[in-house]
Structure formats: C-alpha cells, structure tokens
Amino acid sequence: MPIRWTAILILALAGAWLAGCAAPEQLERRSGYAVDHSWVAPSHNSRVRHLVMHYTDIDEAESLAVLTGPHVSAHYVLPLPPRDHRGMPLVYQLVDENRRAWHAGASTWRGRTNINDTSIGIEIVNLGPDRPYAEVERLLEQNPEASVDIQWAPYPEAQIEALIALSRDIIERHGIHPTDVVAHSDISPTRKIDPGPRFPWRELYEAGIGVWPEDDAVASWQARFEAQPPALSVLQEALRGWGYPLKETGELDRETRAVLRAFQMRFRPSDYRGTPDAETAAILWALLERYRPAALEGLDQPLQTS
C-alpha cells in the first residue's frame, strides 16, 4: 500500500478512536480518578422542594456573624437597611443552593421531616417582636382570650422587592409548588414564630409567590361556620391536611394553639391568639378547596354540636 494511503488510514482509525473518547472539556480530574461527563441523563430534577422564610430577630451585623458561625446558616440573607448594586437589589448568599444549610431545625411539612434536606432558606434581617421570643410565647399562652399588645418590626418595601426578585428566581429554577413556600413557623409551629404577623404574605402572593385564599370562598365558608363551626377534631384534621404536624386529639392543647397561631399569623394577622373561630376555619377550608381539594374529603362531618 502506498505510504500516502497508509497515513490516511492511520489518521482515520485514530479519528474513529478519538470519537469514542470524551473531549478534553468533558473530562474532569479529581483526587485519584477522572470523571467523563460526555454522557448526560435527562431523568432528574431538583432536590429542592421548599422555600422557607425567616426573620433574624437581630441586626445585620449580628445576623451575619451568627449565620456564618459554626451552628446555623442560611442560603440567603436580605440586608437591613436594604441596598442595591447598579440599580438592582443586593442580597447575600452564604451557602450554595446545592448544599444543605442549617436553617430549619426540627421541622415537618406535609409529612416530610427534616426540611433542611429539601429546602432553601432565606433569612430577612428584621428585629421581630419588641420582646424576647419566650415572653411572646408566654403572653400568647397565658392570654388566649385577650388581645396582647406586641409590637413587630416592619419590613421595608425595598427589602420585600429584593425578596420577590430572589424568590421568583428560586421558585422558577427549582419548580417549587406554591403550597411549599412556607414560614419557619409553619414547619416548626411549637418552636418558632418567624417571619411574624407583619410579613406581607398577600403581597408576595400577588407577585406570584406562595398561596392565598379567594375572598368569595372565605365569605361562603365563614357564613356556614358561623351557623355551625367544625368540631375541633375536624379542624385539627384540616390543619394537618394543609401541611401542619398536628394530631387529632379533639382538645385545644398547646400544639393545636401553636399551629393555629402560625396559621393566623400568616393568613389572618390581625388576630393570632391561637383560638379557633369561624373566620380561621373559613380561610383554611378556602385554601384546601383551592389548592388541596382531595384533603376536603371527609371534613364536612362531624360539625360541632351544642
């Protein structure tokens, strides 16, 4: 065979061999081995299922010191006062979204525990109530039938604008369902009260983040429940159907009050004493009707009897 054709054949065989190997940019050297990235499976999705909202209860400097320390962390922190960079809201990212931050603690939502495993946590620098958490809990526990005067720090509009931009981006990239955008108090109602009753959940809903009941549905259910409210065990079942970790005891125990407070702080912040009433039940049933209709099955009876 002429030398010229031999050379061509050798080059062709070499090309065929190289075609079966990964291109240099598809190979990654690691400690003691190499990884070939030339095969990519389409069957996968994000591990993230929840977006959890918190307030820090301390100022920005303390918040960053605590959240970059050895015990707790969050993926993002929204500064106070709010600021921007070249006309865009500025946020701090402390943990990569692919990593598990330590922000939720002991937590449950819709039967799933250890929400740190499946969530992204956003900490909003906000001073919270005008007294320590333990005193807030004591006042609410000891005065369930009376109005308790607790002052809560506001969330500046610029801070909420940053939160909306950040949350929309996270939700879209990870495909988070609206019902899985939650408060820390939703997933840990007996331990936490953040982000508190001044957090603008309805404003976030109107911006496409989270959930909210339809007003007409609330009015319809409220008229029904004012005539005959649901039994406490049924209310507990409905709260559990919405996502809260709650047993059906038929008693207004500490856990039930804590869950009711968390629910009211989010959807009826004008009164969050943790007592059951027709309006709270109406909001809950309207939410179930809109977002989790299957959970309504069997909740019509028994109603409360005199």
Side-chain angles (χ1 to χ4, degrees):
M1 179 183 293
I3 294 176
R4 181 169 63 86
W5 290 108
T6 301
I8 291 172
L9 178 60
I10 291 172
L11 289 172
L13 290 172
W17 180 81
L18 287 172
C21 299
E25 65 270 15
Q26 293 173 317
L27 288 172
E28 176 190 356
R29 290 182 177 272
R30 294 183 184 170
S31 179
Y33 64 102
V35 176
D36 184 341
H37 293 281
S38 59
W39 294 90
V40 179
S43 306
H44 59 84
N45 58 9
S46 174
R47 295 175 184 264
V48 175
R49 291 288 179 271
H50 306 90
L51 179 59
V52 183
M53 306 294 187
H54 307 255
Y55 64 47
T56 61
D57 204 28
I58 48 180
D59 66 23
E60 182 178 316
E62 291 179 283
S63 298
L64 291 171
V66 170
L67 291 167
T68 56
H71 303 297
V72 295
S73 60
H75 295 90
Y76 295 96
V77 176
L78 271 62
L80 185 70
R83 40 197 175 276
D84 59 36
H85 174 70
R86 296 181 178 178
M88 294 186 296
L90 178 71
V91 303
Y92 300 121
Q93 182 169 6
L94 309 186
V95 177
D96 189 280
E97 289 185 12
N98 292 323
R99 304 290 291 176
R100 180 181 182 273
W102 303 347
H103 61 97
S107 50
T108 302
W109 187 246
R110 297 184 63 191
R112 185 187 292 271
T113 58
N114 299 317
I115 301 301
N116 276 338
D117 295 349
T118 56
S119 66
I120 289 176
I122 300 177
E123 288 277 2
I124 305 162
V125 177
N126 177 282
L127 296 181
D130 60 356
R131 62 201 74 198
Y133 167 76
E135 187 177 347
V136 172
E137 283 290 281
R138 181 182 61 79
L139 286 171
L140 294 173
E141 288 284 344
Q142 293 179 355
N143 301 277
E145 305 301 330
S147 176
V148 178
D149 185 21
I150 301 171
Q151 302 300 313
W152 299 79
Y155 291 88
E157 190 58 36
Q159 199 178 46
I160 298 306
E161 289 174 2
L163 178 63
I164 288 171
L166 174 62
S167 299
R168 281 174 169 169
D169 180 46
I170 293 170
I171 289 166
E172 181 178 357
R173 284 187 289 104
H174 294 282
I176 298 173
H177 193 273
T179 58
D180 290 326
V181 178
V182 292
H184 198 185
S185 54
D186 287 329
I187 61 176
S188 303
T190 59
R191 299 189 307 111
K192 297 295 180 179
I193 53 175
D194 58 310
R198 292 200 69 172
F199 188 74
W201 284 108
R202 183 160 194 165
E203 183 179 347
L204 263 64
Y205 163 74
E206 291 170 350
I209 299 162
V211 298
W212 200 259
E214 294 179 328
D215 293 340
D216 290 346
V218 173
S220 176
W221 283 109
Q222 186 166 349
R224 175 177 177 176
F225 290 144
E226 284 176 349
Q228 192 172 21
L232 183 55
S233 61
V234 177
L235 180 63
Q236 290 171 326
E237 183 183 357
L239 288 163
R240 190 181 68 189
W242 180 243
Y244 290 102
L246 186 64
K247 296 179 181 178
E248 298 165 43
T249 64
E251 299 178 1
L252 192 57
D253 48 32
R254 177 179 179 271
E255 289 73 19
T256 303
R257 286 194 181 279
V259 167
L260 282 167
R261 281 199 298 270
F263 182 82
Q264 291 165 345
M265 280 188 178
R266 179 164 178 179
F267 296 107
R268 208 268 308 274
S270 61
D271 182 356
Y272 52 87
R273 291 172 293 167
T275 56
D277 54 51
E279 184 181 21
T280 299
I283 294 169
L284 175 57
W285 260 253
L287 285 166
L288 291 170
E289 183 177 51
R290 185 173 189 183
Y291 297 101
R292 293 188 183 145
L296 280 178
E297 297 177 10
L299 290 181
D300 288 346
Q301 297 293 332
L303 297 178
Q304 180 173 293
T305 58
S306 57

